[in-house]
Amino acid sequence: MPSPASSTELCRAIVDSVQQGRYPDSEDIISAFLPPSAFSDALKLLDNARDQVKARVRTFSKDSAQDIDGWISQAKQLRKDIEIVQSSSRDIITKAQRNKELQQDVHDARSKLHLLEAELAFNQELAAMMEKVRNVHRAAGQIQHLSNQGELLGATELTVEIEKELGEKGRRIKAFGVLSNAIKDLRHDIGEALDREWHVLIRIEAHISTLCLPHKLQCKHSPVIHASLLTICKAISTIARAMGNFGLLGEHIDDLTRQLEVAILLPRMQLQDGIHERLLAVDSNTLKISKSASPMNFHRLIDDLSTLIAFLEKNLPPSVVDPLSKVLTPMLVERLISLRLSTAIPEDLSALRGFDSTRDEIDRFSEILSSHGWPGRDKLHAWINCVPQLWVQQRQRSSLDCVRKLLKRGYREVKTVERVETQLISHQDHLFTGNTSNDNWNAGWSDEDNSSPTEKKQGQESTAAEQEGEDVSAWGLDDEAGDDTKSKDSASSAESDEENDAWGWGDDKNVMEDAWSPRNDRKTPSSREPDRHDRHKTQRKLTLKESYNITALPVDILDLINRVIFDVDELDRQK
């Protein structure tokens, strides 16, 4: 165990720690306890160390006294400079504060300037707006004046211009909103005037199937004048342009198409009594359907349709004919196909050669449409190319319809037919002997049969007797003895089961009887061949009869099938 450190060592370690910042290396000193009695020694050592430090400072001060004086003078000068800088800083701060005040004044002045500029811009905009309001109001009055004078084209153009000028302002500014409502009212009135003028210039009367263009024109505040075709066409063109400005032309074109369909096209294309048609007549500016009917003629129908197209091309301006042709032609072609062409395809193959003239007329009508620049040619050619398929579909529909009608009425007409066959048979034939040995091949089987031997024997005998009787009765050998009974039974069965017999129910019985017929079951009579005289004595003539209940339906269906097969053969020969 190391010896404890002395007080002197402890005090020296304290002085070294204070003076030099050095810690003792000895573990004993670090962990030693400093007693109070050592405090006085430690203080003495510290006082000595302090005195030594002061002595060294005095020694160093004497050597650097001149340098210290220079430092002191420089510090004083630095102090004066600092005071000067502080004074300048205060002046700068004062001036900066003044600048802030000036900048605030400038900002206030600028705000006042912006306010004055905004007020000025508002006043200018208000003046311009009021000027626009006055212009719009004047334009509304001018539109009303043009409308009253009948100058509808100018009224529509001015209305569209004013509507563009109003634009969004009509929804944001109340004054413009009021003017917009006034313009809308004027637009509505002008639209009604255009509608009246349209129907005056192009008058269609569906109840008398007439399309009429006027011979005379009358403007407002003007006398009635006789108008030429060119004048009427110009008037219609003007109304069409005015409607185009308002976006109403398409609506009136659609309405004109519907009126032409109802008043002209349908009465001309529809057949009366299936064989007569009404004709189209043109009288100056009038196009009408005659009341009298004539025998139908497809060539004359194409001529009338061509006349209708030529009439429209001649009497209506291009601004009306062009959009009208795009709407009218598809409807016209559709009606032509559905009302006349579809029914013109003959069902009979022999009459199909006559359809070539109809195809020629369709080609001619296609060329007429193309010459006028109207659409529809492609659709007509497509229909012509589909004629063979359409003919096949028509034959299918007619055949199916015929079968439906036959099924509806044919099975109720029941007919009775007989099959008669005469044969020479001998008494050695199994038909008389019964041949029960072959029929009762399984009579001896008695799997899981608990009946007594007497009952089995009686059952076998009764079964053999029944089978022998059925064999004989099935061949009609008892016809002479029981004709009356059989006819009564047959009549009763035919009446009660007429429905079932008509459909062939119970045919299994006939099939079984046919299977046991002499033609299907001929056996060798005997191994010994008798002579002709004995054979003549032992043979007898037997007439076999079999009744069938049939309907007229199979015969009609066979006729239908034969016609179809004949047409197919005819088509193959033509190829």
Side-chain angles (χ1 to χ4, degrees), residues 394-429:
Q394 186 172 354
R395 287 298 302 269
Q396 290 176 349
R397 288 194 298 268
S398 62
S399 299
L400 292 175
D401 185 62
C402 180
V403 171
R404 292 190 191 98
K405 292 179 180 178
L406 292 175
L407 291 174
K408 183 177 180 181
R409 62 177 176 82
Y411 71 90
R412 298 183 183 276
E413 300 176 3
V414 180
K415 297 180 181 180
T416 302
V417 297
E418 288 185 350
R419 175 186 174 186
V420 181
E421 184 177 353
T422 302
Q423 294 183 0
L424 293 176
I425 61 175
S426 64
H427 289 283
Q428 295 177 355
D429 195 281

Side-chain angles (χ1 to χ4, degrees), residues 482-493:
D483 290 340
D484 297 335
T485 304
K486 182 177 179 181
S487 61
K488 293 179 180 180
D489 293 341
S490 300
S492 175
S493 176

Side-chain angles (χ1 to χ4, degrees), residues 309 312-313 321 324-325 328-329 332 369-370 372-377:
I309 295 174
L312 296 176
E313 286 279 352
V321 173
L324 179 63
S325 63
L328 180 62
T329 307
L332 187 150
L369 291 176
S370 300
H372 290 285
W374 287 36
R377 176 180 180 179

Side-chain angles (χ1 to χ4, degrees), residues 131-174:
E131 183 68 22
K132 289 182 180 179
V133 169
R134 184 174 63 181
N135 293 335
V136 171
H137 186 267
R138 290 177 179 175
Q142 187 175 1
I143 292 171
Q144 184 67 45
H145 176 71
L146 292 175
S147 178
N148 295 334
Q149 294 296 324
E151 300 178 6
L152 299 179
L153 179 59
T156 56
E157 293 175 350
L158 186 57
T159 301
V160 172
E161 182 180 354
I162 295 301
E163 287 177 347
K164 290 181 180 179
E165 185 176 353
L166 289 174
E168 294 292 332
K169 296 180 181 179
R171 290 190 291 268
R172 294 186 289 106
I173 302 174
K174 187 175 181 180

Side-chain angles (χ1 to χ4, degrees), residues 21 48 99 142 181 185 189 197 278 341-342 358 367 457 463:
N48 291 333
N99 287 335
Q142 187 175 1
N181 293 332
D185 294 337
D189 295 339
E197 291 294 328
R278 297 168 63 184
L341 294 181
S342 297
T358 303
E367 296 299 329
K457 184 175 181 180
T463 302

Side-chain angles (χ1 to χ4, degrees), residues 16-46:
D16 291 341
S17 175
V18 173
Q19 186 176 7
Q20 299 178 6
R22 184 179 63 185
Y23 291 94
D25 299 332
S26 177
E27 185 70 24
D28 296 337
I29 297 174
I30 294 174
S31 62
F33 175 74
L34 182 65
S37 60
F39 288 171
S40 59
D41 297 339
L43 291 174
K44 289 179 181 181
L45 290 175
L46 290 174

